[in-house]
Amino acid sequence: MLSFSILGALQIRTATGFAEISGDLQRNLIQTLLVSEGRPISGESLVEEMWGDSVPDKQANALQAHISRLRRKLKSLEPDLAVSRVTIHPSGYRLTIHEGEFDAAEFTKSVRQAEAAGAADAAGTAELLGRALALWRGPVFGDFPGGTICQLACARYEEYRMRAMELRFEAELRLGHHAAMLAELHEAHSNHPLRERFCEQLMVALYRSGRQADALNVYRAMRRHLSDELGIDPSPALRHVEHAILAHDPALTGGARTLLQPA
């Protein structure tokens, strides 16, 4: 059994260690097949992804040569496997990935599970998403983002990561872990200064930690940043948190849940 990881530099783990995929074209090929998550992808799309504007002569032959090379590589890693993982279909080429073998698929599944659970099980959500976020070793594909398909996949998985962070912070705040989350919330807000949900959560955590002035300063800085960068005002949700802090709304201390509803 193999496992494929792209939440960081591409890794293929075998029973005896990690396998090396040599050559940019081979890496681009397998990364594109991986982010298709078991769906066939056309030969034309693969050619464009691998070569961009520098399409080789006899592109079909060139692609087939790389497909054959990848098949041989994967076969060498699973010599007992009767059928190749890379198969051809009327709509293109497909890489067979079984459940539990692909870190990005497992990660997005966990985020969807957390979204479906809602606010009912804060402890379970915090644990689930803590494990899921631990799968990340760095940027998707590391320093080799590939072509358009892979770059779009990078953006998709990164958005799932932001959502997972928001949901985990929400669950931790519901559990009363505001002090323990302050450092991570500061980091998330600093790294993503236009993401208002992180700002809201940081303000709530600061207020609950007895730091009302700091919470309001975070809001004022966010308001200036939104105005300078985007020419917009804070969202109603963010303004609501500011008003609640100024009014010492009991909901902020966990007695009510209206300020902690998932976005």
Side-chain angles (χ1 to χ4, degrees), residues 110-144:
S110 294
V111 178
R112 294 189 190 107
Q113 287 175 352
E115 289 181 322
D121 182 12
T125 294
E127 182 181 357
L128 172 67
L129 294 178
R131 290 197 307 269
L133 287 163
L135 294 172
W136 285 75
R137 297 170 287 108
V140 179
F141 305 132
D143 296 324
F144 190 79

Side-chain angles (χ1 to χ4, degrees), residues 119-120 122 170-178 197 204 208 240 249-263:
E170 212 70 63
E172 296 285 6
L173 288 174
R174 286 179 178 276
L175 294 168
H177 299 164
H178 43 275
R197 195 61 172 167
V204 171
R208 289 184 174 184
H240 180 53
D249 191 322
L252 287 167
T253 61
R257 301 301 186 190
T258 53
L259 293 175
L260 293 175
Q261 292 298 324

Side-chain angles (χ1 to χ4, degrees), residues 162-174:
M162 294 299 100
R163 184 59 176 152
M165 292 170 66
E166 291 174 346
L167 290 169
R168 175 174 168 257
F169 289 145
E170 212 70 63
E172 296 285 6
L173 288 174
R174 286 179 178 276

Side-chain angles (χ1 to χ4, degrees), residues 162 186-199 218 221-226 229-230 238:
M162 294 299 100
H186 270 295
E187 182 179 14
H189 178 54
S190 297
N191 290 340
H192 307 279
L194 295 177
R195 199 160 184 107
E196 291 187 74
R197 195 61 172 167
F198 290 151
C199 183
V218 166
M222 181 69 169
R223 182 178 60 195
R224 288 194 300 270
H225 197 64
L226 289 171
E229 294 292 324
L230 302 177
L238 188 54

